[in-house]
């Protein structure tokens, strides 16, 4: 179930809490912070709840539960140990279209109470939909250490200047550029140092001195092979600064989900065998949006400078005077090999790697087949699924052993990754048998045999066992449990 995030203004609005124990006390404390008008029905109260009642901060209801208590409330929380009462409260609230939370029973909830990081007026909420509340709390604890308490003062200062900022920067691109300077420059530093008056002076100076219209620009960003965890920090920042994103079809939905929600997204469908937007058309789109003063991201699968035509796009931007920069990505050969457990080089088996593209017959005709057929090297072949029979025939004809291992990696690094292994003699047949489809990368060479023993991600490789490497030094591998991804979630967050 995917929840819709919602921040509710409960100030001076009636809320009913059923229950008077420790859990109810925690919920009521948060509601008091939100200035809600709280009515509590409970047989017994914690000392703190009784104190709040004595102070007039909450209203108590005693006796049997009365359905009419729901008639005037905006929100209901059921936090009792009586399952039957909790279910009754949930059903009554549902019939009245009132949002209800039943503690520790997500099936009865129409809203969930998140773990909250409070930097008022900035609030960050984390929810697991009731499935893993402890995980949400652990994430909150980690984020608490990363987010400075001065962020609240920074948000308040921005609110104070908001109308003037909108008048000064009527276009979205210029306004966003100003806010980035405001939030990351001297103003934020002065607030961290506890100097709000000087921070306000610096903000006023920034507002008066920054040009009213920002120039457009283009950033070529490598999106990697699909796993959003492989994005660089620079790429993530660029995605969150973008006004317009021109992306290939190979860019995964998970990567696009990390971009700004209000950025315009234009798919240019650059995929093997499917180019519904020509390269000239992409150039025209880059120019149109950059000249409109927008920050444009050209988002490419893998790395923009490895078979991505990034060089051509930079030449076009240079010739038209458009500022640009490049954020490298992890190219498919590196990422797919790693996720398949295949080292591209190995002291005993491969001393070099060749990156080759084979997306059409004309590109195949330009390849140096004798060089590609040499032993003790790894071939990483991009966009070659449609030309596997030709690859196979030419490599064998020019001396590459038919017993050379291969690995075809489909959707490398993604949840649906598949790895097909075999020998060069079986390449075209195995690809047809297992219906391998683009995007898929071919790795050919002795190292490809290691996919069967070093695999750590996704399903085990498909296909027959590859030919043994007779006479080669044995390859030492860790026991299976030690080869799997280690570490816990919090250490992963820390190291990112």
């Amino acid at each position: 179930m995917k929840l819709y995030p919602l921040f509710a203004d409960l100030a001076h609005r009636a809320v009913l809490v059923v229950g008077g124990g420790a859990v109810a006390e925690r919920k009521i404390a948060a509601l008091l912070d939100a200035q809600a008008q709280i009515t509590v029905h409970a047989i017994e109260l914690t000392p703190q709840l009784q104190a709040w009642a004595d102070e007039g901060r909450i209203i108590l209801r005693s006796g049997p539960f009365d359905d009419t208590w729901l008639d005037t409330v905006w929100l209901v929380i059921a936090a009792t140990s009586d399952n039957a009462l909790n279910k009754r409260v949930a059903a009554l609230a549902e019939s009245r279209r009132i949002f209800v939370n039943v503690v520790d029973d997500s099936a009865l909830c129409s809203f969930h109470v998140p773990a909250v990081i409070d930097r008022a007026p900035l609030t960050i909420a984390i929810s697991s939909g009731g499935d893993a509340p402890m995980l949400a709390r652990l994430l909150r604890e980690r984020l608490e250490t990363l987010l400075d308490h001065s962020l609240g003062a920074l948000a308040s200062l921005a609110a104070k200047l908001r109308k003037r900022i909108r008048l000064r920067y009527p276009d979205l691109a210029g306004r966003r550029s100003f806010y980035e300077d405001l939030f990351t420059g001297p103003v934020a530093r002065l607030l961290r140092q506890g100097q709000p008056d000087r921070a306000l002076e610096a903000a006023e100076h920034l507002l008066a001195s920054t040009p009213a219209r920002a120039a457009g620009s283009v950033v070529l960003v490598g999106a990697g092979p699909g796993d959003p965890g492989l994005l660089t920090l620079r790429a993530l920042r660029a995605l969150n600064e973008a006004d317009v994103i021109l992306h290939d079809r190979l860019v995964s939905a998970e990567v696009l989900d990390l971009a700004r929600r209000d950025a315009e997204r234009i798919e240019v469908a650059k995929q093997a065998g499917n180019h519904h937007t020509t390269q000239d058309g992409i150039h025209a789109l880059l120019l149109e949006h950059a000249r409109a003063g927008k920050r444009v991201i050209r988002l490419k699968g893998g790395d923009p400078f490895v078979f991505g035509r990034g060089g051509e796009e930079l030449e076009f931007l240079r010739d038209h005077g458009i500022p640009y920069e490049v954020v490298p990505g992890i190219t498919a050969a590196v990422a797919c090999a790693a996720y398949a457990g295949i080292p591209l080089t190995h002291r005993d088996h491969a001393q070099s790697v060749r990156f080759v593209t084979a997306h059409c017959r004309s590109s195949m005709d330009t390849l140096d087949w004798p060089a590609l057929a040499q032993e003790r090297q790894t071939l990483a072949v991009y966009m070659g699924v449609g030309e596997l029979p030709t690859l196979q025939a030419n490599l064998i004809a020019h001396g590459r052993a038919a017993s050379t291992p291969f690995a075809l990696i489909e959707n490398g690094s993604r949840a649906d990754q598949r790895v097909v292994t075999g020998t060069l003699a079986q390449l075209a047949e195995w690809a047809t048998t297992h219906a391998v489809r683009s995007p898929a990368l071919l790795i050919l060479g002795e190292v490809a045999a290691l996919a069967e023993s070093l695999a750590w991600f996704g399903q085990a490789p498909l296909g027959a066992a590859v030919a043994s490497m007779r006479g080669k030094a044995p390859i030492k591998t860790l026991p299976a449990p030690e080869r799997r991804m280690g570490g816990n979630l919090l250490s992963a967050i820390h190291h990112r």
Side-chain angles (χ1 to χ4, degrees):
M1 178 177 61
K2 186 172 176 114
L3 300 178
Y4 182 78
L6 185 70
F7 287 87
D9 180 4
L10 295 178
H12 314 300
R13 291 186 167 94
V15 175
L16 174 65
V17 178
V18 184
V23 174
E25 180 184 314
R26 290 198 301 271
K27 306 297 183 186
I28 291 168
L31 290 168
L32 286 172
D33 287 341
Q35 304 177 57
Q37 294 179 345
I38 305 164
T39 298
V40 178
H41 168 66
I43 299 173
E44 296 182 5
L45 297 174
T46 66
Q48 181 62 72
L49 288 176
Q50 187 62 60
W52 285 335
D54 294 341
E55 295 166 3
R57 301 183 68 188
I58 60 176
I59 300 169
L60 294 182
R61 296 285 188 222
S62 57
F65 182 81
D66 188 340
D67 298 3
T68 62
W69 294 342
L70 292 165
D71 291 343
T72 57
V73 302
W74 292 70
L75 206 68
V76 181
I77 294 178
T80 78
S81 57
D82 185 341
N83 291 334
L85 177 57
N86 288 344
K87 288 182 179 179
R88 180 184 169 200
V89 171
L92 290 169
E94 183 74 18
S95 68
R96 288 167 168 78
R97 298 181 182 177
I98 300 170
F99 281 113
V100 62
N101 175 265
V102 179
V103 175
D104 292 332
D105 195 338
S106 59
L108 295 178
C109 295
S110 55
F111 81 95
H112 296 267
V113 180
V116 173
I117 301 166
D118 185 4
R119 299 290 185 270
L122 181 68
T123 304
I124 300 170
I126 304 168
S127 174
S128 64
D131 291 339
M134 283 303 301
L135 177 59
R137 291 172 196 163
L138 288 170
L139 288 172
R140 182 200 66 194
E141 291 173 9
R142 175 61 65 181
L143 291 173
E144 284 278 10
T145 66
L146 299 176
L147 301 175
D148 195 88
H149 282 269
S150 66
L151 286 174
L154 186 59
S156 295
L157 187 150
K160 185 181 298 185
L161 299 175
R162 185 176 182 183
K163 288 184 179 179
R164 292 168 57 193
I165 293 169
R166 291 184 69 88
L167 288 173
R168 170 76 170 154
Y169 305 102
D171 64 294
L172 183 61
R175 193 156 63 245
R176 182 173 297 113
S177 178
F178 173 81
Y179 274 121
E180 286 164 6
D181 291 338
L182 181 69
F183 293 151
T184 61
V187 175
R189 175 177 53 79
L190 288 167
L191 287 173
R192 287 195 300 270
Q193 295 171 351
Q195 302 180 57
D197 293 338
R198 290 188 60 194
L200 181 58
E201 291 177 8
E204 295 277 6
H205 176 74
L206 182 65
L207 187 57
S209 61
T210 306
R213 182 173 180 83
S217 62
V218 175
V219 184
L220 269 65
V221 176
D227 181 352
L230 296 180
L231 277 180
T232 65
L233 292 175
R234 188 70 174 271
L236 183 60
R237 180 180 178 185
L239 286 173
N240 280 280
E241 294 174 348
D243 300 308
V244 179
I245 300 172
L246 272 63
H247 64 92
D248 295 345
R249 184 171 293 172
L250 287 177
V251 175
S252 69
E254 293 80 5
V255 169
L256 286 171
D257 283 344
L258 297 176
R260 275 187 41 234
R261 291 290 183 263
D262 56 342
E264 180 181 358
R265 296 170 186 176
I266 303 171
E267 182 188 302
V268 292
K270 297 284 287 183
Q271 183 178 8
N274 187 350
H275 290 191
H276 76 225
T277 304
T278 65
Q279 191 62 45
D280 287 342
I282 293 171
H283 289 169
L285 287 169
L286 292 172
L287 187 61
E288 173 191 348
H289 291 290
R291 282 183 169 171
K294 297 179 180 180
R295 294 190 177 189
V296 184
I297 300 298
R298 175 69 177 99
L299 190 62
K300 297 170 174 284
D303 180 89
F305 280 4
V306 180
F307 305 127
R309 303 186 73 170
E312 297 173 43
E313 291 173 4
L314 287 197
E315 289 173 331
F316 175 85
L317 295 169
R318 178 203 60 198
D319 292 345
H320 289 81
I322 302 298
Y324 58 80
E325 60 181 286
V326 181
V327 179
I330 299 180
T331 189
V334 174
C336 294
Y339 273 62
I342 300 172
L344 289 175
T345 63
H346 191 288
R347 183 174 59 182
D348 297 319
H349 309 298
Q351 283 69 52
S352 65
V353 184
R354 290 178 182 264
F355 292 179
V356 181
T357 181
H359 67 283
C360 63
R361 187 60 58 107
S362 60
S363 67
M364 299 284 283
D365 293 339
T366 64
L367 296 177
D368 184 352
W369 291 107
L372 296 179
Q374 293 175 9
E375 293 186 351
R376 302 185 66 81
Q377 67 174 338
T378 303
L379 300 184
V381 184
Y382 291 68
M383 298 174 282
V385 171
E387 299 294 337
L388 291 179
T390 305
L391 275 166
Q392 177 185 33
N394 277 284
L395 287 170
I396 292 175
H398 288 84
R400 196 75 195 242
S403 60
T404 303
F406 79 82
L408 273 169
I409 306 164
E410 182 183 87
N411 294 317
S413 85
R414 307 187 190 198
D416 55 351
Q417 171 178 299
R418 290 198 307 158
V419 180
V420 176
T421 59
T423 64
L424 180 56
Q426 303 164 323
L427 175 58
E429 177 189 356
W430 253 227
T432 301
T433 298
H434 294 288
V436 175
R437 296 288 182 268
S438 177
L441 182 98
L442 168 64
I443 296 179
L444 184 77
E446 286 73 12
V447 293
L450 297 173
E452 296 193 347
S453 60
L454 298 183
W456 62 273
F457 179 82
Q459 300 297 319
L462 304 169
V466 298
S468 62
M469 293 181 287
R470 196 168 296 166
K472 308 293 185 182
I475 297 192
K476 298 179 181 179
T477 61
L478 292 171
E482 297 180 36
R483 286 192 274 113
R484 305 189 191 282
M485 283 191 294
N488 56 44
L489 178 60
L490 295 183
S491 65
I493 293 172
H494 175 73
H495 289 298
R496 282 189 185 178

